[in-house]
Amino acid sequence: MKISEMGEFKLIESLSKLVGKPRDDAVIMGIGDDAACWRTEDGMLLATTDSLVEGVHFTLKVTTWRELGWKALSVNLSDIAAMGGIPKYAMISLGVPRDTDAENISRLYQGILELAQAFDVDIIGGDTVASPVMMINITLIGVVPGGQDILTRKAAVPGDQVAVTGHLGASSAGLAMLNREIEFNYHIAKALREAHLKPSPRVAEGQALARCGVKACIDLSDGLMGDLEKLCKSSGVGARVFIDHIPCHPATVESFEDAAVTFALTGGEDYELLFTAKASVIEGVREAVSCPVTVIGEVVKGRGIRALDEAGIEVHVGDRGWDHFGRRGR
Amino acid sequence: MKISEMGEFKLIESLSKLVGKPRDDAVIMGIGDDAACWRTEDGMLLATTDSLVEGVHFTLKVTTWRELGWKALSVNLSDIAAMGGIPKYAMISLGVPRDTDAENISRLYQGILELAQAFDVDIIGGDTVASPVMMINITLIGVVPGGQDILTRKAAVPGDQVAVTGHLGASSAGLAMLNREIEFNYHIAKALREAHLKPSPRVAEGQALARCGVKACIDLSDGLMGDLEKLCKSSGVGARVFIDHIPCHPATVESFEDAAVTFALTGGEDYELLFTAKASVIEGVREAVSCPVTVIGEVVKGRGIRALDEAGIEVHVGDRGWDHFGRRGR
């Protein structure tokens, strides 16, 4: 079977089976969460890796080299954030077409460094090789603050509320704006562009979640519905999402109006944190962090994610929006 | 300036300057050695990363998927070996063309796993993305045995002997055989093919070097002359190499005869260890390891690597062989 027919999730599932359980019992989390985690004598370490490939994840027609560097590191920072960790060391691997201007690679590095310095991350190594297209792979190593637990995808339990940090949908709205060359006013265009190309990973917030007693978390990279499904599947639970509770990004609402909720539900790359916990724990989180925290649903027994409209009627959420099982809404 | 005009080493040098010194003083070794190294409360950790890109580092015309997996991990194991470390955890990032058969990705993983299990390495994470060509990036994390120092490229001192483990040249001879479709007898063909596609990293030997008191080491990935130059440049020293002392691989001598020494000098990808130490330390190493250990030269004051023939006359070593400054030898 071709990879394209199989899909990414099934492929990862099959590779994960092949790899099997780690033999070293210091490994607390192997394949299947936002980052791997293992115990050392003086605490827990985290490692995550993410690749961006030209033509697949980005195009240099709309992304500057600096922005590309920033984004490549930010997606990794977001994975460490989703474990409640402190990012420490990055390894940068580049695949570079031979006719690339060296100055552009410097700009790429400047984008990485700008974000690395903001989060106190040291670049400790890497690899640079020739490649037919530009590609960036970053591995980020982090630590878990002493005495603290990691956040995982396996810890959601029925009765938990489902919450998110920040606002959703602006990244994919930004992508749509850039790809379709839609013109908005300066402030909206800037907000959407930055949401897509310079996301701010929720590193401090991830640590605050862990301190406040949250156990279950994932970062929003593939889209709210898809990532919630992954979280719930790992935990062996289901969830209900209240569509009218979703904190759509104001710039998206202003620019794309009714489609804003679709971007928020399925758009992806928001790099906000999606987490579940008891109501009282979420109250604590709200006081501990400076960004918005919004309850958007609840964890239930069983399987699957159901999205409900303001009347409590189940709606179907697809890539192109959501509808009442066939009738396209909004 | 285009990357192709600048060359890999200059590019890495310029990026390394841009990155600057690590701000965290727990970092003992950042960019510029076989692996990065940082201190934790209970010891030192190592991390290294290497990418292989289809059409640049391998072609699936002559490499099986299993061999590709093996090789991708082995080049990383070799970097940990060159620091004297124990490899522990691997993160596997794949870029996969959409029309790839999933069965082939399983075979690739089986090759990785075969070697991982032999060296007690756990695969703890990774990333799989679409890509126009096949690419594999592996990040390998290791530990330094308690109470032991790391091996670095910075520790060669004048008066040291220069030594290598094993035999050299078979990997690049294997590549030449495969690319030029040369036919040799079964045993030679097998030895050369395996040297190129299934190298055995010198992990136990690296640890033995450190235990025996060796301080300066690099693994042979780019070729003896080039890697010795890197080691010496990092250490601020020069070296003399005695060409007739070089342990050419028997299968290369048998198949490529006089060209064997060229493969050994400049061929690359042997994944043997090149190290320098006092004669008495090297004697200790010879007793501690089961593979051949051959003294091939000496570290001297100054700069540059000089290759000398059996009469003590300096020869010029280029990509296409070596000669007495213009007159092509052997």
Side-chain angles (χ1 to χ4, degrees):
Chain A
M1 191 191 286
K2 303 280 179 213
I3 293 291
S4 51
E5 295 155 12
M6 195 179 201
E8 187 194 343
F9 302 124
K10 276 213 172 151
L11 176 64
I12 292 174
E13 215 170 75
S14 90
L15 295 178
S16 174
K17 266 186 202 154
L18 205 59
V19 167
K21 290 220 164 140
R23 298 191 296 177
D24 181 351
D25 56 18
V27 179
I28 297 163
M29 185 62 71
I31 296 172
D33 216 300
D34 291 293
C37 180
W38 70 97
R39 202 178 315 244
T40 68
E41 274 172 47
D42 62 308
M44 289 187 280
L45 288 172
L46 300 164
T48 185
T49 188
D50 260 297
S51 301
L52 299 182
V53 178
E54 186 179 354
V56 178
H57 301 97
F58 65 89
T59 153
L60 289 160
K61 281 178 204 150
V62 299
T63 312
T64 69
W65 288 89
R66 259 189 111 96
E67 286 166 340
L68 181 59
W70 172 293
K71 182 148 184 181
L73 181 58
S74 69
V75 303
N76 282 282
L77 286 167
S78 183
D79 282 326
I80 296 293
M83 304 296 285
I86 303 171
K88 295 288 283 182
Y89 308 124
M91 316 270 288
I92 316 291
S93 294
L94 301 181
V96 185
R98 291 183 208 275
D99 64 351
T100 306
D101 197 319
E103 193 52 44
N104 287 333
I105 301 302
S106 292
R107 291 193 186 102
L108 174 81
Y109 253 72
Q110 280 157 7
I112 296 173
L113 282 167
E114 189 186 347
L115 194 61
Q117 282 159 9
F119 285 94
D120 239 345
V121 166
D122 275 314
I123 293 164
I124 60 168
D127 190 23
T128 304
V129 298
S131 162
V133 296
M134 188 66 211
M135 55 194 215
I136 311 173
N137 172 276
I138 297 186
T139 297
L140 185 61
I141 292 162
V143 297
V144 180
Q148 221 164 270
D149 246 359
I150 51 171
L151 306 171
T152 76
R153 299 182 182 177
K154 298 193 293 192
V157 289
D160 275 0
Q161 291 187 336
V162 176
V164 289
T165 59
H167 295 105
L168 308 184
S171 174
S172 48
L175 179 64
M177 175 188 77
L178 293 167
N179 280 348
R180 298 184 214 154
E181 297 178 27
I182 308 173
E183 287 187 15
F184 293 119
N185 76 46
Y186 175 79
H187 295 288
I188 286 182
K190 186 169 183 286
L192 296 184
R193 183 187 178 90
E194 290 203 344
H196 184 60
L197 295 174
K198 292 190 78 181
S200 292
R202 296 290 189 187
V203 174
E205 291 79 2
Q207 291 165 39
L209 293 185
R211 272 199 308 278
C212 290
V214 174
K215 302 290 177 201
C217 183
I218 186 171
D219 76 320
L220 289 176
S221 53
D222 293 339
L224 174 61
M225 293 301 283
D227 288 325
L228 180 57
E229 192 171 354
K230 278 189 236 164
L231 178 77
C232 286
K233 206 173 167 194
S234 291
S235 297
V237 297
R240 282 193 207 111
V241 173
F242 308 120
I243 287 188
D244 59 330
H245 290 200
I246 290 172
C248 295
H249 196 288
T252 312
V253 176
E254 215 177 312
S255 53
F256 285 93
E257 301 175 1
D258 286 353
V261 72
T262 303
F263 285 120
L265 283 166
T266 60
E269 295 204 278
D270 282 316
Y271 300 108
E272 296 291 346
L273 298 178
L274 172 69
F275 59 102
T276 83
K278 281 184 198 150
S280 58
V281 170
I282 291 180
E283 268 319 299
V285 169
R286 200 169 269 139
E287 282 164 33
V289 301
S290 57
C291 72
V293 169
T294 311
V295 172
I296 59 162
E298 56 196 21
V299 177
V300 297
K301 283 185 192 167
R303 296 262 157 182
I305 312 300
R306 295 169 61 209
L308 307 176
D309 69 9
E310 57 272 40
I313 296 170
E314 189 173 353
V315 296
H316 173 73
V317 177
D319 285 345
R320 300 179 51 208
W322 57 276
D323 60 32
H324 292 88
F325 291 102
R327 197 162 57 81
R328 186 79 191 287
R330 302 196 186 193
Chain B
M1 190 190 283
K2 304 280 180 212
I3 293 291
S4 51
E5 293 154 13
M6 193 177 201
E8 187 194 344
F9 302 124
K10 277 213 172 151
L11 176 65
I12 291 173
E13 216 170 73
S14 89
L15 295 179
S16 175
K17 266 186 203 155
L18 205 60
V19 167
K21 288 217 165 144
R23 300 191 294 175
D24 182 351
D25 57 17
V27 178
I28 298 163
M29 185 61 73
I31 296 173
D33 216 298
D34 291 294
C37 179
W38 70 97
R39 202 180 314 247
T40 68
E41 274 173 46
D42 61 309
M44 288 187 280
L45 288 172
L46 299 165
T48 185
T49 189
D50 260 299
S51 301
L52 300 182
V53 178
E54 186 178 356
V56 177
H57 303 96
F58 64 89
T59 152
L60 288 160
K61 281 178 202 148
V62 299
T63 312
T64 69
W65 287 89
R66 259 189 111 97
E67 285 166 340
L68 179 59
W70 172 294
K71 183 149 185 182
L73 182 58
S74 69
V75 301
N76 282 284
L77 286 167
S78 184
D79 281 325
I80 295 292
M83 305 294 286
I86 304 171
K88 294 288 284 183
Y89 307 125
M91 315 271 289
I92 316 292
S93 294
L94 302 181
V96 186
R98 290 183 209 277
D99 64 349
T100 307
D101 198 319
E103 192 53 44
N104 286 333
I105 302 301
S106 292
R107 289 191 187 103
L108 174 81
Y109 253 74
Q110 280 157 8
I112 297 173
L113 282 167
E114 190 186 347
L115 192 62
Q117 282 159 10
F119 285 94
D120 239 345
V121 166
D122 275 314
I123 293 165
I124 60 167
D127 191 23
T128 305
V129 297
S131 164
V133 296
M134 190 67 212
M135 54 195 217
I136 311 174
N137 172 275
I138 297 185
T139 296
L140 186 60
I141 291 162
V143 297
V144 180
Q148 222 164 270
D149 246 357
I150 50 171
L151 307 172
T152 76
R153 297 181 184 178
K154 300 194 290 191
V157 289
D160 275 1
Q161 292 188 337
V162 177
V164 290
T165 59
H167 295 104
L168 308 184
S171 174
S172 49
L175 179 64
M177 174 188 78
L178 292 168
N179 281 348
R180 299 184 214 156
E181 297 178 27
I182 309 174
E183 287 187 16
F184 293 119
N185 78 44
Y186 174 78
H187 295 288
I188 286 181
K190 186 168 184 286
L192 296 184
R193 181 186 179 88
E194 290 202 347
H196 185 60
L197 295 174
K198 292 189 79 180
S200 291
R202 295 291 189 186
V203 174
E205 291 79 2
Q207 292 165 39
L209 293 186
R211 271 199 310 276
C212 291
V214 174
K215 302 289 178 201
C217 182
I218 188 172
D219 75 320
L220 289 176
S221 52
D222 294 338
L224 174 60
M225 293 300 283
D227 289 323
L228 179 57
E229 192 172 356
K230 278 189 237 165
L231 177 78
C232 287
K233 205 173 168 194
S234 291
S235 297
V237 296
R240 279 193 209 110
V241 173
F242 309 120
I243 288 189
D244 59 329
H245 290 200
I246 290 173
C248 295
H249 196 287
T252 311
V253 176
E254 215 177 313
S255 52
F256 286 91
E257 301 175 3
D258 285 352
V261 73
T262 302
F263 285 120
L265 283 167
T266 60
E269 297 204 277
D270 281 317
Y271 300 107
E272 295 292 345
L273 298 179
L274 172 70
F275 59 101
T276 82
K278 282 184 196 150
S280 58
V281 170
I282 291 181
E283 268 320 299
V285 169
R286 201 170 266 137
E287 281 165 33
V289 302
S290 55
C291 72
V293 169
T294 312
V295 173
I296 59 163
E298 56 198 19
V299 177
V300 296
K301 282 185 193 167
R303 298 259 158 184
I305 312 300
R306 295 169 60 206
L308 307 175
D309 69 9
E310 57 273 39
I313 297 170
E314 189 174 352
V315 296
H316 172 75
V317 178
D319 286 346
R320 301 180 51 209
W322 57 276
D323 60 32
H324 291 87
F325 291 101
R327 199 164 55 81
R328 184 80 191 288
R330 302 200 183 188

